[in-house]
Amino acid sequence: MAQAPRVRFAPSPTGYLHIGGARTALFNYLYARRFGGNFMLRMEDTDQERSTPESVQAILDGLKWLGLEWDEGPGKEGKYGPYFQTQRLDTYRTHSERLIAEGKAFRCYCTREDLEARRAAAEKEKRAYKYEGTCRELKAPPAGRRVEDAVIRFKMPREEGTVSFNDKVLGVITKPYSDLDDWVMLRADGIPLYNFGCVIDDHLMDITLVSRGQEHVNSTFPQLMLYQALGWAPPEFAHLPLILGPDREKLSKRKHPEADVMLHKRNGIMPEALLNFVIRLGWGHGNDEVISREQMLEWFDFADVGSTSGVWNPEKLLWLNQQWFKLLPPATVAERLVPFLEAKGISARGDARLEPLVLALRERARTLEEMATTATIYFRSGVTLDEKAAAKHLTGDSLKLLAQVREQLAALPAWSTDAVDAVVKAVSEQAAVGMGKVAQPLRVAVTGNTTSPGIGETLMLVGRDEALRRIDSALTRTA
Ligand code: GLU
């Protein structure tokens, strides 16, 4: 690669960071990092009604949570700024005036009502509306209209021709000029429309490759016409396949809550798992499923992005999260578990049991939320017995065994996993019953239920005094 790539993520800040945006950001980020380039963030905040500072913040927070740090952009000013389109209006004005002067764009004075009526008429006749070219040749505003009222339209060449590009994912795509019309570049108030702002910025910001969702393929044609008119070389393009929800409908904010990146954070999915999940929506490396950031950086290229849609598989996300529980250091998982425990009223920061707890629970829990729910019994005082479990395991002979265990546990000189296990073994041998006959009543007494990590480990995590108190309470309850 001759030139270090400069790529960008250019969200419109009109809501939270969604999964499609996260994927676009991830692919661009990886490409820039892998090839020693630059990953830029540009806010396309031209929709003044829907763009909000909260959305900007939500996007920045989402990217940071995923660890997709941008090299330039909001909060990281560089020589290509400003990085908010609404702060670049002079630039758009200058370039549109230049195009008018060169006869490649024109002011259009048609009123909104007029255009709407024309569009409605076309719809009635079931033909696609295309701007008629009404104002193409006007040299001055018509009577009653002022220059300030005009929008600026691109002057599409009238001769026959085609525009095409070689997409890195989709291959060569071509469109005849006749499919395009004199599209609006700039509104009367100086706000650029997407195609115009995007091209001006991508060029001035020296972007070498534009990667975005496939819904923008059709925008690429008018954009290429503009590059041509301005005498600028266009960047490369890589349009990413669609992402479908679990129902196989296009993943959308409206229909699919899982489109919200931060929902997964709240649900207890870890960023490593979500990134791992997202990279597989359209890209693959052999049969590899669990992919680390290092591997992503080593392997990712747009050449391996497929054109078939990625389908959301909720089970796979949970599975990946569990894999990442096992791959990350327990201290890291423990750190992330703390806020989930706090949300349940348990302050566990600094508790020495956190890491052993993660080691014990990560075999079963699939999210931090699940892990925290299971973990509550180790922190609260007392336990609520599951009635069914108690009815089965805390009666008759089982209670006698439990009383024996209690006695021996209380006599232990030191409380450890092995010591507890040894007591369970000794009591079962004395009574000539299987270990389960002793361990299960003990487990129910201490955890309230029939599933938990190994019995020694469980009692270790609950702690000596609390464990004995729970056993006592089980013994009195049913005595
Ligand atoms: N603002 C556009 C969007 O969020 C950007 C598309 C592009 O990357 O060119 O969809």
Side-chain angles (χ1 to χ4, degrees):
M1 195 170 308
Q3 196 186 5
R6 281 184 57 83
V7 292
R8 85 309 191 268
F9 174 45
S12 304
T14 55
Y16 57 68
L17 176 65
H18 61 89
I19 291 288
R23 183 188 61 177
T24 301
L26 172 65
F27 286 14
N28 279 294
Y29 167 91
L30 293 174
Y31 189 72
R33 287 284 172 282
R34 176 168 178 201
F35 296 107
N38 187 295
F39 172 57
M40 196 190 79
L41 179 60
R42 178 174 76 227
M43 288 291 164
E44 301 205 329
D45 58 341
T46 52
D47 184 335
Q48 290 185 301
E49 267 161 37
R50 293 170 58 230
S51 294
T52 61
E54 292 75 28
S55 299
V56 170
Q57 198 52 50
I59 291 170
L60 303 184
D61 290 347
L63 292 173
K64 282 186 193 156
W65 179 65
L66 289 170
L68 302 176
E69 289 284 343
W70 51 101
D71 302 304
E72 281 169 47
K76 283 201 184 158
E77 298 310 309
K79 68 170 179 157
Y80 291 97
Y83 298 94
F84 285 80
Q85 287 194 319
T86 50
Q87 293 169 22
R88 305 173 59 81
L89 300 187
D90 288 351
T91 308
Y92 307 128
R93 180 60 78 184
T94 308
H95 285 89
S96 57
E97 291 298 334
R98 175 190 145 194
L99 287 165
I100 294 178
E102 292 175 0
K104 293 167 180 164
F106 62 95
R107 288 186 215 284
C108 171
Y109 296 92
C110 297
T111 61
R112 181 180 300 238
E113 297 74 44
D114 213 7
L115 286 166
E116 263 161 28
R118 276 141 65 177
R119 191 166 291 126
E123 214 164 274
K124 221 167 161 186
E125 292 164 28
K126 296 203 178 347
R127 63 183 161 84
Y129 176 71
K130 202 168 144 185
Y131 176 76
E132 302 84 344
T134 323
C135 303
R136 267 172 81 104
E137 308 306 333
L138 289 184
K139 294 281 172 277
R145 302 286 287 157
R146 300 172 313 163
V147 170
E148 304 87 271
D149 300 329
V151 302
I152 299 178
R153 286 183 185 268
F154 182 78
K155 206 174 209 174
M156 206 34 219
R158 279 282 160 93
E159 65 267 21
E160 296 218 338
T162 57
V163 50
S164 65
F165 66 104
N166 190 355
D167 190 275
K168 277 179 110 64
V169 176
L170 303 171
V172 176
I173 328 180
T174 306
K175 234 187 202 333
Y177 283 180
S178 54
D179 278 9
L180 305 176
D181 73 349
D182 298 332
W183 51 279
V184 177
M185 298 178 349
L186 207 66
R187 290 187 348 197
D189 59 5
I191 302 285
L193 272 91
Y194 161 62
N195 283 332
F196 187 63
C198 177
V199 167
I200 301 296
D201 289 347
D202 283 341
H203 175 76
L204 296 180
M205 294 172 166
D206 283 341
I207 296 302
T208 59
L209 182 148
V210 166
S211 178
R212 55 191 170 199
Q214 225 169 73
E215 65 275 18
H216 292 295
V217 168
N218 275 330
S219 301
T220 310
F221 299 104
Q223 291 184 11
L224 284 166
M225 294 307 299
L226 185 57
Y227 279 106
Q228 215 176 77
L230 288 161
W232 293 344
E236 291 188 282
F237 292 95
H239 286 94
L240 308 175
L242 290 180
I243 302 176
L244 307 181
D247 56 356
R248 297 198 160 248
E249 297 273 331
K250 186 173 182 284
L251 191 74
S252 80
K253 290 188 178 185
R254 211 169 21 83
K255 278 216 308 260
H256 302 100
E258 56 270 63
D260 178 359
V261 165
M262 292 309 238
L263 170 79
H264 302 289
K265 178 180 190 221
R266 293 192 292 279
N267 285 350
I269 298 288
M270 299 188 295
E272 292 79 3
L274 192 62
L275 277 187
N276 192 156
F277 180 77
V278 163
I279 198 172
R280 294 286 291 109
L281 295 168
W283 176 89
H285 182 267
N287 291 327
D288 291 305
E289 286 296 353
V290 180
I291 304 172
S292 68
R293 182 179 287 249
E294 291 67 35
Q295 290 167 324
M296 292 180 187
L297 285 166
E298 194 179 318
W299 296 335
F300 180 80
D301 197 345
F302 286 109
D304 304 315
V305 174
S307 53
T308 40
S309 312
V311 183
W312 191 280
N313 177 346
E315 282 305 313
K316 187 165 157 188
L317 178 57
L318 292 169
W319 178 81
L320 280 171
N321 203 50
Q322 190 170 36
Q323 302 311 304
W324 278 100
F325 275 157
K326 297 180 197 169
L327 287 168
L328 290 167
T332 305
V333 179
E335 179 65 32
R336 293 176 185 176
L337 183 63
V338 168
F340 286 86
L341 288 167
E342 274 166 2
K344 297 180 190 304
I346 294 164
S347 64
R349 193 170 292 284
D351 194 311
R353 290 175 299 166
L354 273 174
E355 282 184 43
L357 199 58
V358 166
L359 285 170
L361 300 184
R362 67 183 187 179
E363 297 302 323
R364 286 216 184 86
R366 297 182 304 171
T367 66
L368 290 165
E369 174 58 31
E370 273 180 28
M371 199 182 269
T373 302
T374 317
T376 52
I377 56 155
Y378 298 95
F379 293 99
R380 298 228 157 102
S381 66
V383 72
T384 312
L385 298 183
D386 175 76
E387 275 313 319
K388 232 170 110 191
K392 178 151 182 230
H393 296 286
L394 296 176
T395 48
D397 288 349
S398 305
L399 277 178
K400 281 187 205 124
L401 290 170
L402 185 61
Q404 287 170 31
V405 170
R406 198 261 177 231
E407 202 173 309
Q408 294 196 29
L409 287 175
L412 281 177
W415 193 255
S416 73
T417 303
D418 290 346
V420 172
D421 281 338
V423 165
V424 172
K425 192 158 176 253
V427 172
S428 65
E429 277 168 6
Q430 283 153 21
V433 295
M435 292 235 307
K437 288 267 184 255
V438 180
Q440 260 335 52
L442 182 55
R443 178 172 277 117
V444 174
V446 172
T447 68
N449 225 314
T450 50
T451 49
S452 82
I455 194 66
E457 207 171 3
T458 303
L459 266 70
M460 183 62 197
L461 289 167
V462 170
R464 179 183 187 275
D465 295 351
E466 177 65 21
L468 293 178
R469 269 198 299 276
R470 292 183 192 181
I471 297 169
D472 288 343
S473 143
L475 287 170
T476 52
R477 196 190 86 99
T478 44

